[in-house]
């Protein structure tokens, strides 16, 4: 990062609150403007937010020139900005006394990977320790490219390779700070931590101890091992991080013919080729049929306490969770919005029974274990209803295969099927407009919509063969705990000039397809990230639209501008700003990904050498630090 790439200092350097002090509801009214900005999505008075000091009131428009679509293997950001890759796969997180260096040939051991930043960065959040100068960056790691992870790829498997792949999954907790004009990881750090697919987890909520959660290794059904396929995320007003387990079922070996429960969740023989079950028996669902039930949850982590045991919150339901976005009702209860990233799956929200208490995680340790889960039904005419996913209601009874609330939570998909919830086109990230309280959700795509034997189009999902996706929004009829809502389409993605109706779209400004990541910043600017697989990134309908990019949109006019374009075949995902909004963190996932999702170990740089740009060096997922060259607010 250039020496002149500096940060505007906070005027109050002496004020240095901890994560939990910042998140304490009792302190919100006295916090400095930058911290208030970070907390806006969770304030109960969302609909009446006034402008923040130094920030424009009433939302914002993109204030930069669009970046053109390109196939070049680099990272390109809008004019007037600098972007520097940092916090890459394989760097040590900073655990004291255990900081092994990254080996570019893939020869790091499983034990070393267990204290290094994981692979394939996804959702993340910045928790301030010293305002916008120092904080904890918590990063999800969705999956692994084993062709890159190991020196000889996946030609053979061993217990060591499985252990290394397990260690490259999960979550990284990094202490980061601005030092000498650059953002750097603090190493060593008392906060540094890796949470992997082998880390012990507690199980909370109605499924804890349930028969469907018990295994030979855990006969009480209260202690799971690991979290995996960690996609999007959430963060709470009491200062904790929510990581979400998405396509967990791919890791399990199932029988040739699974039972109805396994089939509904996509269990199949050999999963998706991970072959972990050959050396880690718990991933063999033939031998351990309940082990898959212990995944698919939202996991709560206290980043300020590296000794805290992560907790799987079963009251929020089991799903291929994309994210968990938290709002607060006027009377102080937590509401968690969640999408399930799979074709024809559902949108959920959870409303806590109890109010958020001052005192951080210690005072709210069981808040997410008690409350009501709802699933959405989008009706015609732009109205909708939240239906309780609760045992004993609307047919969720023993006679229909739901013995108790724990079983309802384990079988959330089947329960939602029975309730008649609306099957959506891959609902992914959810975000809330800080000015209006309106909730937005990306529906990435669904090319099976309207196909023979598949669900037909409906009001909320109006396109057959929906290759380009859309963004839907809704407003609760009342507070965030309302039973009903009104909805509309924010945008049908695609190129307005496309001759094919399925891909035409009504985007104003720079066209895009397959919206995925979605985030409102505290000024009210909507950031949209794109997910189109390497096989279609620059082909067919995407030839002139492109992918691997992030755009900003004015929610009032719908005008969209392309802010950045990432390396070849990557996915841009995960975005957050420091409270002063003068630094943005964005993740680059799987640069150079091959169409098979697995790199060729004989030629691991076939598609990309980013971020090194050096021939022969493996591409690496990384967090990119973006700053405006004049030190101003990002996006203006």
């Amino acid at each position: 990062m250039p020496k002149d790439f500096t940060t505007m200092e906070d005027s109050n350097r002496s004020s240095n609150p901890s994560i939990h002090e910042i998140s304490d509801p009792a302190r919100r009214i006295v916090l400095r403007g930058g911290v208030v900005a970070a907390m806006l999505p969770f304030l109960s008075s969302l609909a009446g937010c006034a402008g923040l000091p130094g920030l424009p009131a009433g939302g914002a428009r993109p204030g930069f020139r669009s970046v053109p679509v390109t196939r070049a293997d680099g990272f390109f950001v809008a004019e007037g900005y600098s972007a520097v890759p940092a916090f890459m796969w394989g760097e040590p997180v900073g655990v004291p006394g255990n900081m092994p260096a990254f080996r570019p040939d893939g020869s790091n051991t499983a034990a070393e990977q267990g204290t290094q930043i994981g692979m394939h960065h996804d959702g993340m959040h910045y928790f301030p320790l010293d305002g916008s100068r120092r904080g904890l960056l918590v990063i999800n790691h969705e999956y692994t490219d084993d062709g890159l992870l190991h020196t000889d790829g996946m030609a053979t498997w061993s217990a060591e390779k499985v252990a290394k792949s397990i260690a490259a999954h999960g979550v990284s907790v990094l202490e980061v700070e601005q030092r000498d004009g650059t953002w750097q990881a603090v190493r060593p750090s008392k906060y540094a931590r890796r949470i992997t697919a082998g880390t012990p987890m507690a199980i909370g909520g109605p499924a804890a101890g349930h028969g469907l959660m018990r295994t030979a290794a855990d006969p009480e059904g209260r202690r799971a091992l690991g979290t995996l396929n960690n996609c999007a995320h959430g963060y709470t007003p009491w200062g904790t991080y929510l990581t979400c387990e998405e396509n967990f079922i791919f890791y399990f070996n199932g029988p040739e013919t699974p039972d109805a429960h396994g089939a509904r969740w996509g269990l199949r023989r050999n999963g998706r080729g991970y072959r972990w079950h050959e050396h880690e028996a718990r991933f063999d669902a033939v031998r351990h049929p309940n082990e898959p039930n212990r995944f698919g949850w939202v996991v709560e982590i206290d980043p300020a306490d590296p000794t805290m045991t992560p907790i799987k919150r079963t009251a929020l339901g089991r799903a291929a969770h994309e994210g968990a976005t938290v709002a607060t009702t006027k009377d102080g209860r937590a509401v968690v919005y969640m999408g399930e990233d799979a074709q024809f799956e559902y949108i959920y929200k959870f409303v806590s029974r109890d109010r958020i208490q001052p005192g951080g995680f210690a005072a709210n340790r069981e808040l997410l274990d008690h409350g009501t889960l709802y699933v959405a039904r989008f009706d015609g005419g732009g109205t909708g209803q939240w239906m309780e996913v609760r045992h004993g209601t609307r047919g969720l009874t023993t006679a229909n295969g739901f013995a108790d609330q724990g079983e309802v939570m384990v079988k959330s998909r089947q329960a939602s099927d029975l309730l008649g919830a609306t099957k959506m086109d891959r609902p992914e990230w959810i975000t809330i407009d800080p000015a209006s309280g309106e909730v937005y959700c990306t529906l990435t795509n669904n090319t099976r919509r309207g196909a023979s034997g598949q669900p037909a189009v409906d009001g909320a999902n109006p396109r057959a063969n929906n290759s380009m996706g859309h963004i839907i929004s809704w407003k609760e009829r009342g507070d965030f705990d309302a039973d009903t809502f009104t909805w509309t389409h924010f945008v049908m993605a695609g190129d307005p000039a496309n001759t094919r109706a399925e891909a035409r779209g009504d985007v104003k400004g720079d066209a895009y397809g397959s919206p995925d990541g979605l985030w409102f910043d505290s000024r009210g600017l909507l950031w949209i990230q794109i997910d189109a697989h390497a096989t279609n990134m620059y082909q067919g309908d995407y030839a002139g639209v492109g992918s691997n990019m992030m755009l900003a949109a004015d929610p009032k006019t719908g005008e969209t501008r392309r802010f950045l374009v990432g390396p070849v075949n990557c996915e841009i995902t995960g975005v957050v700003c420091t409270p002063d909004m003068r630094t943005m963190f964005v993740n680059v996932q799987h640069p150079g990904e091959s169409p098979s999702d697995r790199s060729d170990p004989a030629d691991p740089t076939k598609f990309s050498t980013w971020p090194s740009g050096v021939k022969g060096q493996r591409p690496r997922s990384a967090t990119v630090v973006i700053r405006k060259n004049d030190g101003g607010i990002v996006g203006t």
Side-chain angles (χ1 to χ4, degrees):
M1 194 175 295
K3 285 291 183 182
D4 62 350
F5 194 59
T6 56
T7 301
M8 183 174 290
E9 295 292 325
D10 255 278
S11 61
N12 186 359
R13 290 187 62 92
S14 63
S15 180
N16 198 11
S18 71
I19 289 173
H20 294 311
E21 288 175 325
I22 288 168
S23 302
D24 189 334
R27 287 179 49 91
R28 288 181 184 156
I29 58 172
V30 298
L31 294 174
R32 297 193 311 274
V35 177
V36 176
M39 296 303 299
L40 266 176
F42 311 115
L43 296 175
S44 59
S45 57
L46 271 171
C49 290
L52 296 170
L55 301 179
R61 299 182 62 189
F64 52 85
R65 288 166 141 189
S66 295
V67 176
V69 173
T70 177
R71 302 187 189 192
D73 187 29
F75 191 96
F76 306 90
V77 70
E79 182 181 351
Y81 288 82
S82 296
V84 178
F87 319 134
M88 305 171 197
W89 157 52
E91 292 181 0
V93 292
V95 174
N98 197 348
M99 294 187 287
F102 175 72
R103 299 177 191 168
D105 63 353
S107 62
N108 283 108
T109 66
E112 289 171 336
Q113 178 63 76
T115 59
Q116 294 171 321
I117 296 173
M119 205 176 208
H120 286 2
H121 301 29
D122 209 297
M124 65 178 163
H125 189 64
Y126 174 87
F127 293 86
L129 292 172
D130 184 6
S132 297
R133 294 182 301 275
R134 185 171 66 95
L136 301 182
L137 195 63
V138 188
I139 306 171
N140 283 349
H141 304 291
E142 186 176 2
Y143 66 105
T144 56
D145 180 340
D146 290 280
L148 293 177
L149 187 63
H150 313 295
T151 54
D152 61 348
M154 301 170 65
T156 60
W157 277 91
S158 66
E160 170 69 10
K161 284 185 175 180
V162 171
K164 186 176 180 183
S165 191
I166 285 173
H169 282 70
V171 177
S172 294
V173 180
L174 294 167
E175 183 180 353
V176 298
E177 69 175 5
Q178 289 194 73
R179 189 188 313 150
D180 299 326
T182 68
W183 277 92
Q184 302 177 33
V186 177
R187 300 187 180 102
S189 168
K190 67 179 182 180
Y191 299 106
R193 185 179 189 184
R194 275 304 319 282
I195 295 164
T196 74
T199 300
M201 307 265 158
I203 300 172
H210 196 278
L212 290 171
M213 301 288 279
R214 298 172 188 164
T215 64
D218 177 31
E220 294 186 357
R222 295 181 180 275
R223 299 282 293 184
L225 197 61
T227 183
L228 50 78
N229 214 259
N230 302 86
C231 201
H233 70 296
Y235 63 108
T236 69
W238 53 95
T240 58
Y241 184 77
L242 304 178
T243 186
C244 301
E245 300 175 333
E246 192 188 25
N247 293 311
F248 62 91
I249 204 67
F250 295 155
Y251 296 78
F252 289 91
N253 174 57
E256 290 288 350
T257 304
D259 61 17
H261 176 51
R264 181 63 184 86
W265 290 88
L267 184 64
R268 63 190 184 193
R269 186 76 173 164
N270 291 325
R272 201 176 177 181
Y274 275 93
R275 295 174 60 181
W276 287 4
H277 67 282
E278 296 177 12
H279 299 280
E280 184 84 4
R282 65 191 172 104
F283 290 98
D284 188 347
V286 178
R287 297 169 59 189
H288 303 283
N290 280 352
E291 189 66 27
N293 296 338
R294 294 147 66 85
F295 292 87
W297 306 104
V298 173
V299 182
E300 185 171 14
I301 300 166
D302 182 358
D305 180 4
T307 68
M308 177 257 188
T309 300
I311 304 172
K312 300 199 175 193
R313 298 298 188 187
T314 67
L316 276 63
R318 180 167 168 257
H321 280 294
E322 178 71 24
T325 300
V326 184
T328 307
T329 62
K330 292 176 181 177
D331 65 356
R333 288 172 295 133
V335 177
V336 187
Y337 290 98
M338 298 164 285
E340 181 169 16
D341 181 13
Q343 294 174 328
F344 305 117
E345 298 302 342
Y346 303 109
I347 293 174
Y348 297 92
K349 79 172 179 181
F350 168 84
V351 180
S352 70
R353 181 191 67 189
D354 303 321
R355 297 181 181 183
I356 302 167
Q357 299 299 316
F361 175 64
N364 295 281
R365 175 176 287 274
E366 297 184 359
L367 189 80
L368 296 181
D369 285 340
H370 306 285
T372 304
L373 183 68
Y374 298 85
V375 64
R377 189 183 74 202
F378 290 80
D379 299 324
T383 63
Q385 180 177 341
W386 292 105
M387 299 179 291
E388 284 187 79
V389 188
R390 182 165 60 87
H391 183 256
T393 64
R394 300 190 183 215
L396 299 180
T397 61
T398 302
N400 288 325
F402 302 97
D404 49 35
Q405 186 65 13
E407 186 161 6
V408 169
M409 294 295 96
V410 172
K411 298 179 177 178
S412 297
R413 281 186 177 176
Q414 295 97 310
S416 299
D417 292 343
L418 190 150
L419 291 171
T422 301
K423 296 178 179 293
M424 308 296 287
D425 286 350
R426 289 184 59 196
E428 297 214 45
W429 290 55
I430 293 175
T431 189
I432 302 170
D433 186 333
S436 69
E438 194 165 1
V439 186
Y440 289 65
C441 177
T442 49
L443 299 163
T444 293
N445 54 45
N446 186 355
T447 55
R448 294 169 62 206
R449 174 72 65 178
S452 177
Q454 301 297 330
V457 298
D458 57 44
N461 306 275
R463 289 197 289 199
N465 186 27
N466 183 12
S467 65
M468 304 302 277
H470 53 291
I471 299 175
I472 199 167
S473 64
W474 64 88
K475 187 71 180 290
E476 302 285 8
R477 284 181 162 169
D479 206 347
F480 287 113
D481 63 344
D483 294 331
T484 59
F485 56 90
T486 57
W487 63 267
T488 188
H489 291 119
F490 174 68
V491 68
M492 302 302 295
D495 187 350
N498 200 305
T499 58
R500 291 191 338 104
E502 302 96 317
R504 191 168 297 143
D506 59 6
V507 177
K508 299 175 183 176
D510 294 327
Y512 59 89
S514 296
D516 186 348
L518 197 66
W519 178 64
F520 268 106
D521 68 28
S522 58
R523 297 170 58 245
L525 196 58
L526 180 62
W527 297 88
I528 304 169
Q529 298 173 320
I530 307 306
D531 179 14
H533 193 273
T535 54
N536 69 8
M537 194 167 282
Y538 294 107
Q539 301 174 23
D541 295 325
Y542 284 86
V545 175
S547 185
N548 60 315
M549 62 189 181
M550 184 170 81
L551 312 96
D554 178 347
K556 291 183 177 180
T557 66
E559 178 196 358
T560 305
R561 296 186 191 177
R562 190 179 300 107
F563 181 63
L564 62 84
V565 177
V568 170
N569 292 3
C570 83
E571 177 184 343
I572 299 295
T573 182
V575 55
V576 68
C577 283
T578 51
D580 65 6
M581 292 186 56
R582 301 178 192 277
T583 299
M584 174 180 277
F585 301 104
V586 172
N587 282 332
V588 173
Q589 186 186 103
H590 60 68
E593 180 186 63
S594 72
S596 68
D597 288 342
R598 299 290 186 271
S599 296
D600 179 358
D603 188 8
T605 64
K606 181 177 182 179
F607 296 102
S608 176
T609 59
W610 189 88
S612 72
V614 177
K615 185 173 177 57
Q617 288 204 9
R618 299 175 183 225
R620 299 165 71 183
S621 296
T623 301
V624 178
V625 181
I626 299 173
R627 293 270 299 170
K628 201 170 183 182
N629 293 341
D630 65 5
I633 293 172
V634 175
T636 59

